[in-house]
Amino acid sequence: MKIIGEKINGTRSQVKKAVAERDTAFIQTLAKNQVEAGAFWLDVNAGTAPEREPEDLVWLVNIVQEVVDVPLCLDSANPAALSEAIKHVRHTPLINSLSGEKKRMEGILPLVSSAGCSVIALALDDKGIPANVEDRLTLIRRVVGELKNKGITEDRIYVDPLVMTIASNMEAGQIAMKTMQAVRSEFPNAHITCGASNISFGLPVRTIINQAFLTLALYAGLDTPILDPMDRELRKAWLSAEVVLGRDRHCLNYTRAYRSGLLEQAAKA
């Protein structure tokens, strides 16, 4: 499993403030802490107005790359911002995201194709997010088909079934996981991603819900979650789930975490 660190996102008030004030130290600390906690990719989202976003996203890319050497997940629906940011990355980025929406297809698909990027494909179109598994899978097939037509191989596609909050729909977890299972069966070489913490929005002690969802989603086929790698209890959940699922060869990741004191210290806390 490869983690996409979610913390550098302009929808978060502290990050929004840091971007506006060019607080390099704050952003770089977030970047280093997430990588040290196990993030393979770092999501970078400026979250600013379209006319400002290209400059702000490039600033984020540059200052993050000053302190960590990991691939970035460029998070924007703005083709102009993505186009500029791609020029500054050291490693081929993951684009977050493409959907069935006409504007994204027209603006982002050509960028993904020309730059040879990997891409997150959302179960979303101009009508919104489908309510059931069958309709989401139909939409995913269309988006994946468009990507393949542009030469994007299945292993460069990260399907996001779009996890909704269970506080407003008690079926949200089941719909997400059944969609994951269907995607894993139909597109075995594709990756599956999602914002894991979406499931708990609006509920107290969210990390407990997140842990339960992450464990079940890993079994359903999730292999590249977007989450907070610094959540120690969540980290324990994914490390132990990977052991049980036989995905942690010789239990190396789990035992390394134990020897580093990460599991024991978290338990004592």
Side-chain angles (χ1 to χ4, degrees), residues 223-242:
D223 63 5
T224 315
I226 303 169
L227 50 75
D228 176 6
M230 296 182 290
D231 183 329
R232 298 175 67 89
E233 294 303 308
L234 193 59
R235 181 164 51 194
K236 287 167 60 180
W238 91 59
L239 287 168
S240 56
E242 291 234 289

Side-chain angles (χ1 to χ4, degrees), residues 117-144:
C117 301
S118 296
V119 62
I120 292 176
L122 305 180
L124 170 70
D125 65 8
D126 291 305
K127 297 178 182 178
I129 302 171
N132 58 56
V133 174
E134 293 75 16
D135 290 343
R136 289 192 193 193
L137 191 59
T138 297
L139 179 50
I140 288 165
R141 287 190 188 109
R142 179 160 67 86
V143 177
V144 170

